[in-house]
Amino acid sequence: MTIRSDRDHGQHYRPRMSCLKKLEAIVVQMQDPSTGVKGSEQKLNVTTIPHAIAGQDIVAWISKHMNVDNDEAQAFGTMLAAFGYIYPLQDHKKLVLRPDGSLYRFQTPYFWPVQKLKADDTDYAIYLAKRNIRKKGVLDAYEQEEYSKLHNWMNHKWDFIVMQAKEQYQAGKTRQKADRVVFDCQERAYWIVHRPPPQTHSAMDVLDRHIDPNTEEKKTYDYYRRIIIYTQQAVMRSRVKSTVSLGALVKYMATFMNHDPFLVSCLPSNPWQTDDDTYWELNMADVEVPTKMRVERWSFSFYELLNDPRGRADFKIFLKKEFSGENLAFWEAAEELKWGTAASMSEKAEHIFKTFLAPGAPRWINIDGRTMGITIKGLEHPHRYVLDGAQTHIFMLMKKDTFYRYLKSPVYKEIQKKAISPVPHNFSETQLQENTRNRRLSISPIITWQKEQEEKAKAEAAAGPVDIKKLMASKLDRK
């Protein structure tokens, strides 16, 4: 009987096998006697450990042979430790690579992930029982909890587990002290990879697959029917030339390149690196004066304008002067219905009908008769996407006409003049340390949401007293 734990790290189908084989090839190069990382005997407490290597030597080798900087080399070395290809000799609880004199060793190939060794609960129970004997009952908190769980689950064969643990413990005592320390570190690193502490990310975490991707599917009637449907859809799918698609991709990259924080540094500074929150304050949703980069992004597309709360607020000012604010209000109401709670769906649908679609509604929108008929009929049994047709019609109407008039309007030109360009920050080491000490909590999302609801309630027009059910009944009587 095998008891499966909540986090099964056996990886039955091995979806990342190609990635692991590439890592294995690099580890083999690192162990080359002539061109690999040089190891030597190192003192660990009072024990001499053979073939030990320093973390800084691993980072230097990766940086040299992979032509990357030290930060990327350290990140790659940490990935090797996370997958269990190297293991620490000192700090066992964290499988990370430290770029200093911390000692590491290469894991024996028997414990490599490519060996497809399933981390069985019985083996884990034997390992914990052996550690419990060696430590005389002093285990880590999470190991003690797992030990108790496995004891309860496998009570029927616990005598066998304890016997195996005692035999392995006695066999280990016959080894030399250095070999015992090395084997203990190897085994512990293996189980930290496959049975990590709670609330800890594991590199071996995978999504459960209900279908083995390596097996061939039986050629049934449903199989050929799906192939025919897929082929028909592939033939009917519209295609463009590669030159056209590549040109569109290059144009997109050229447009958004200066707005990508991975390619261009944040102004005035990156808050994650400097602990200075000026960048976040300048780019808040309800900021009074936005930055020039933010205002420039509104002109890229109508979607970018609506996606920015500050840009949408500025667009509302323009629509108010144009006496056409009902279009944007309907689009926002449709978005709220689409992404809101299911409990309030019927109430919101009726409110939208009374406000925007009913004859004589206070903010009636002008859409074609066919779309209006489909929408009103769908509102009899409302769902999240009942307004998609009318919302798309209004969106395209604003995109083709109102959006371009907004870009040429005094409202947009005025906000362009008011927009600010932050000056880059140049913090010294002392100032960075001071920023770290003076960190402050951000505004609670609940408070932000309450402010948005208050503003929405103030801006929302009062709905007319129209009953959707009575209106439907009157239409049926006329017919």
Side-chain angles (χ1 to χ4, degrees):
M1 178 179 176
T2 302
I3 307 297
R4 293 177 62 86
S5 62
D6 294 337
R7 300 179 68 175
D8 180 22
H9 304 286
Q11 291 194 103
H12 180 63
Y13 299 131
R14 297 289 165 176
R16 292 195 301 272
M17 186 57 63
S18 60
C19 171
L20 296 177
K21 287 183 177 179
K22 292 178 182 179
L23 292 178
E24 177 185 345
I26 295 175
V27 174
V28 170
Q29 294 180 15
M30 295 174 69
Q31 297 183 75
D32 188 271
S34 57
T35 61
V37 184
K38 303 300 180 183
S40 60
E41 292 184 350
Q42 298 287 343
K43 279 277 188 179
L44 184 64
N45 297 330
V46 294
T47 308
T48 302
I49 305 298
H51 308 295
I53 50 180
Q56 55 193 8
D57 295 336
I58 299 176
V59 171
W61 189 93
I62 296 174
S63 178
K64 178 181 177 182
H65 287 74
M66 299 186 69
N67 195 22
V68 295
D69 57 20
N70 289 338
D71 291 337
E72 292 187 13
Q74 183 183 354
F76 184 79
T78 298
M79 183 173 66
L80 292 178
F83 279 108
Y85 286 101
I86 58 177
Y87 61 90
L89 293 173
Q90 293 160 312
D91 189 2
H92 304 281
K93 296 182 180 180
K94 295 182 179 180
L95 295 179
V96 297
L97 181 65
R98 301 182 185 278
D100 51 22
S102 302
L103 298 180
Y104 295 83
R105 287 186 94 251
F106 290 107
Q107 182 67 283
T108 179
Y110 177 79
F111 291 118
W112 285 0
V114 292
Q115 299 299 332
K116 301 183 181 180
L117 293 175
K118 188 173 182 179
D120 190 70
D121 290 318
T122 304
D123 297 332
Y124 189 46
I126 294 173
Y127 164 75
L128 290 179
K130 183 172 60 174
R131 277 184 55 81
N132 190 51
I133 295 171
R134 185 169 61 250
K135 296 290 185 180
K136 298 180 180 180
V138 181
L139 296 175
D140 293 337
Y142 81 95
E143 289 180 335
Q144 187 65 49
E145 185 179 353
E146 289 294 328
Y147 182 83
S148 301
K149 285 182 180 179
L150 292 172
H151 191 188
N152 294 331
W153 292 343
M154 301 183 179
N155 191 34
H156 60 284
K157 58 177 182 179
W158 196 252
D159 293 338
F160 166 77
I161 291 173
V162 173
M163 181 185 68
Q164 289 288 329
K166 288 181 178 179
E167 289 183 359
Q168 292 185 16
Y169 175 69
Q170 293 297 332
K173 290 178 68 175
T174 60
R175 299 190 183 98
Q176 296 182 1
K177 180 68 177 297
D179 294 338
R180 286 204 306 269
V181 173
V182 168
F183 185 75
D184 179 52
C185 293
Q186 287 177 342
E187 198 174 22
R188 190 167 187 179
Y190 172 80
W191 285 113
I192 289 179
V193 170
H194 291 84
R195 294 292 165 83
Q199 299 179 353
T200 303
H201 171 71
S202 173
M204 305 303 291
D205 282 339
V206 293
L207 296 174
D208 292 333
R209 294 194 175 192
H210 298 285
I211 300 175
D212 187 350
N214 301 319
T215 58
E216 293 186 3
E217 186 178 357
K218 293 182 180 179
K219 304 298 190 295
T220 60
Y221 170 79
D222 291 334
Y223 170 80
Y224 289 108
R225 183 175 62 85
R226 284 191 283 106
I227 293 296
I228 292 173
I229 294 174
Y230 173 79
T231 306
Q232 290 175 344
Q233 292 176 347
V235 171
M236 297 171 60
R237 188 179 300 119
S238 60
R239 292 175 173 80
V240 295
K241 293 183 178 180
S242 58
T243 54
V244 177
S245 60
L246 290 175
L249 182 61
V250 171
K251 183 180 178 181
Y252 179 88
M253 292 297 296
T255 303
F256 287 90
M257 183 176 63
N258 294 331
H259 297 262
D260 193 331
F262 287 99
L263 301 178
V264 181
S265 60
C266 300
L267 292 177
S269 62
N270 190 334
W272 296 104
Q273 296 176 344
T274 62
D275 291 310
D276 182 81
D277 56 0
T278 307
Y279 174 80
W280 286 329
E281 291 180 352
L282 293 176
N283 290 276
M284 291 179 64
D286 56 348
V287 68
E288 184 177 355
V289 181
T291 61
K292 287 188 179 295
M293 297 285 288
R294 190 172 178 180
V295 175
E296 180 187 0
R297 187 160 184 154
W298 300 347
S299 63
F300 290 167
S301 67
F302 186 50
Y303 174 78
E304 291 289 339
L305 178 64
L306 294 184
N307 197 39
D308 189 342
R310 181 63 182 82
R312 196 188 304 176
D314 200 65
F315 188 54
K316 284 181 182 178
I317 297 174
F318 169 74
L319 291 177
K320 188 175 181 181
K321 294 182 178 181
E322 294 276 321
F323 300 100
S324 58
E326 66 278 355
N327 290 337
L328 182 59
F330 173 76
W331 184 89
E332 290 180 331
E335 285 290 299
E336 188 176 349
L337 175 67
K338 186 184 298 183
W339 302 107
T341 59
S344 61
M345 196 178 301
S346 299
E347 181 182 353
K348 288 180 180 178
E350 186 171 358
H351 174 73
I352 291 172
F353 176 81
K354 292 178 181 179
T355 308
F356 301 101
L357 301 175
R363 308 191 73 179
W364 187 76
I365 58 171
N366 186 14
I367 57 177
D368 61 272
R370 181 175 177 274
T371 305
M372 178 70 79
I374 294 174
T375 303
I376 292 178
K377 186 176 181 181
L379 285 173
E380 296 178 12
H381 305 284
H383 53 85
R384 293 188 184 278
Y385 308 101
V386 69
L387 299 175
D388 271 7
Q391 186 186 19
T392 303
H393 182 89
I394 293 297
F395 180 86
M396 297 304 296
L397 185 66
M398 292 190 295
K399 178 182 177 182
K400 292 179 180 179
D401 178 40
T402 319
F403 173 60
Y404 293 103
R405 287 193 287 111
Y406 164 73
L407 295 179
K408 298 176 182 179
S409 68
V411 176
Y412 182 71
K413 292 179 180 179
E414 183 180 356
I415 198 66
Q416 278 183 316
K417 293 178 181 178
K418 290 182 179 179
I420 59 176
S421 296
V423 180
H425 289 165
N426 294 318
F427 291 111
S428 62
E429 290 295 331
T430 306
Q431 290 174 325
L432 290 176
Q433 295 176 3
E434 186 68 21
N435 291 344
T436 304
R437 287 193 294 266
N438 295 332
R439 287 176 182 170
R440 58 180 180 176
L441 297 176
S442 60
I443 301 176
S444 173
I446 299 177
I447 298 177
T448 305
W449 178 80
Q450 289 175 349
K451 289 182 178 179
E452 291 177 356
Q453 294 300 317
E454 290 175 2
E455 293 176 359
K456 188 181 295 182
K458 292 178 182 178
E460 195 175 48
V466 181
D467 191 349
I468 182 173
K469 295 181 180 179
K470 292 183 179 179
L471 185 63
M472 292 298 161
S474 63
K475 285 189 175 183
L476 291 175
D477 292 340
R478 291 175 187 174
K479 291 180 180 181

